[in-house]
Amino acid sequence: MTDTPTSQPDNSQATRCGMVSIVGRPNVGKSTLMNHLIGQKVSITSRKPQTTRHRIHGILSRDNYQIIFADTPGIHTGQEKALNRAMNEAAVSTLFGVDVICMMVDAMKWTPADEHVLSLLPEKDQVPVLLIINKVDNVDDKAALLPHIQTLSERYPFDAVIPVSALREQNLVELEKALVQRLPEGDFWYEEDQLTDRSLRFMVAEIIREKVVRQLGQEVPHQVSVEVEMWEDGPRVTEISAAILVERRGQKKILIGDKGERIKQIGIQAREDIERLIERKVMLNLWVKIKAGWSDDARALRSLGYDEPR
């Protein structure tokens, strides 16, 4: 990831602080956007939809303003399992009690899932809603963007429409300016060097889960979670043990791989990221556990840090 852009938005002398919710259908780049605005990896990413499961707060602090971003799971219509319901409720809950909402969509696309997200937005004037059109770097005919923006602007009274490329960091300074202008005056909620409200244990579990998702692609569905079971800081090395939870024996076999090669690669990649996160040498021990039906068990979800679905 490249450094945060040095050209920072202009801002007034008044201290501003507020909550910004980033919502949208799965896989439109919400986590990538938050990570690049903050300049650090706070939320995990992959090309697989619904990678983000929890509501994760990322914190961007400048001299006289602080933006607390709520990265959310992609809002989707499938709610057949408790996990799906918990993810949806985590996302929809951030449409209320925030200072700004960013609805994110893919450039030149509008799907029934986007329409569903749109239907959940609050009524006009309740809270500023910005439409963030992502991946504009993939649009060959830039002239086609204007009529597309006009069409979307007619669907809802957006406060502003801002085309960006989250991955390439295009137009993020303009987006940051737009957000700061809409923040209320107030003191910072968090220390200036704090990047997220989540614990290191949570972040480590998410790093491991990211490597699992990236390694497996479509081979294993979303019935995979990670639980950090032991954390011990030694004089020179931090030893971490974590269990990767799956629901079926066949998933365990796929995750371990031939002669344990896949789980080994997951461990190597996760350890490198964890060492960068905690700035210490790490000994990472991983194993795979079968926990049948955990993704449809509300009690199991609570034990793994999910809000109880209703």
Side-chain angles (χ1 to χ4, degrees):
M1 181 179 297
T2 59
D3 293 334
T4 303
T6 55
S7 176
Q8 296 181 10
D10 296 331
N11 46 80
S12 65
Q13 294 303 310
T15 301
R16 296 179 179 272
C17 182
M19 179 79 73
V20 175
S21 176
I22 308 174
V23 298
R25 63 174 170 81
N27 215 28
V28 292
K30 299 181 295 295
S31 298
T32 300
L33 177 66
M34 185 180 77
N35 289 341
H36 281 268
L37 282 166
I38 293 171
Q40 294 286 339
K41 189 170 189 174
V42 173
S43 190
I44 70 172
T45 61
S46 83
R47 294 183 179 181
K48 190 172 183 179
Q50 299 174 26
T51 299
T52 302
R53 284 189 184 157
H54 301 262
R55 182 175 60 247
I56 299 172
H57 290 164
I59 304 162
L60 170 62
S61 301
R62 303 290 194 203
D63 288 342
N64 60 337
Y65 63 86
Q66 186 176 78
I67 308 174
I68 298 97
F69 292 100
D71 182 28
T72 62
I75 296 174
H76 54 288
T77 55
Q79 300 189 44
E80 65 279 1
K81 288 188 176 235
L83 175 60
N84 297 101
R85 296 196 300 275
M87 290 165 63
N88 258 0
E89 289 175 16
V92 173
S93 68
T94 62
L95 295 172
F96 307 96
V98 297
D99 299 294
V100 185
I101 296 172
C102 292
M103 178 180 173
M104 200 166 185
V105 299
D106 277 345
M108 307 309 296
K109 289 184 181 178
W110 185 262
T111 71
D114 294 315
E115 192 69 40
H116 176 63
V117 176
L118 187 75
S119 71
L120 299 173
L121 295 178
E123 294 181 5
K124 181 183 177 181
D125 298 331
Q126 288 187 354
V127 60
V129 180
L130 309 185
L131 180 65
I132 312 302
I133 301 179
N134 192 26
K135 305 176 186 177
V136 295
D137 53 313
N138 293 334
V139 178
D140 294 327
D141 182 10
K142 296 296 191 287
L145 269 176
L146 288 177
H148 181 62
I149 290 172
Q150 180 62 37
T151 299
L152 296 185
S153 297
E154 294 170 358
R155 306 186 81 90
Y156 183 89
F158 295 106
D159 221 49
V161 181
I162 304 177
V164 304
S165 169
L167 187 61
R168 306 296 179 192
E169 296 191 346
Q170 294 178 4
N171 218 29
L172 297 195
V173 170
E174 291 304 314
L175 171 57
E176 194 174 326
K177 283 182 182 178
L179 294 174
V180 173
Q181 290 169 0
R182 292 163 175 83
L183 292 182
E185 294 185 11
D187 296 332
F188 287 9
W189 295 5
Y190 297 96
E191 297 295 328
E192 293 184 29
D193 60 351
Q194 190 170 344
L195 296 175
T196 181
D197 65 333
R198 292 289 189 168
S199 68
L200 282 178
R201 276 179 174 257
F202 174 87
M203 298 297 292
V204 164
E206 287 289 272
I207 286 171
I208 296 167
R209 188 167 66 85
E210 176 188 60
K211 305 313 174 188
V212 171
V213 171
R214 291 191 171 197
Q215 275 280 330
L216 298 182
Q218 300 298 325
E219 290 184 74
V220 173
H222 283 282
Q223 286 83 11
V224 175
S225 193
V226 177
E227 193 170 24
V228 175
E229 298 187 334
M230 188 273 286
W231 183 304
E232 186 173 318
D233 291 320
R236 298 181 181 177
V237 177
T238 293
E239 185 175 356
I240 299 171
S241 296
I244 302 172
L245 305 182
V246 297
E247 295 199 323
R248 297 190 298 274
R249 188 173 300 277
Q251 294 172 347
K252 179 176 180 178
K253 183 178 179 181
I254 292 171
L255 186 52
I256 293 173
D258 186 35
K259 298 179 180 178
E261 187 60 31
R262 178 167 273 164
I263 192 72
K264 178 182 176 183
Q265 289 302 313
I266 291 169
I268 291 171
Q269 294 171 13
R271 179 179 53 79
E272 292 172 352
D273 277 9
I274 295 168
E275 287 180 341
R276 281 193 287 269
L277 174 68
I278 69 174
E279 298 180 336
R280 298 199 79 209
K281 285 288 185 184
V282 169
M283 178 185 296
L284 179 62
N285 306 305
L286 298 179
W287 56 85
V288 184
K289 287 185 178 180
I290 300 172
K291 191 180 181 82
W294 74 263
S295 66
D296 202 24
D297 184 331
R299 184 169 57 184
L301 290 173
R302 286 197 303 274
S303 73
L304 294 169
Y306 297 91
D307 294 332
E308 182 176 2
R310 294 183 291 274

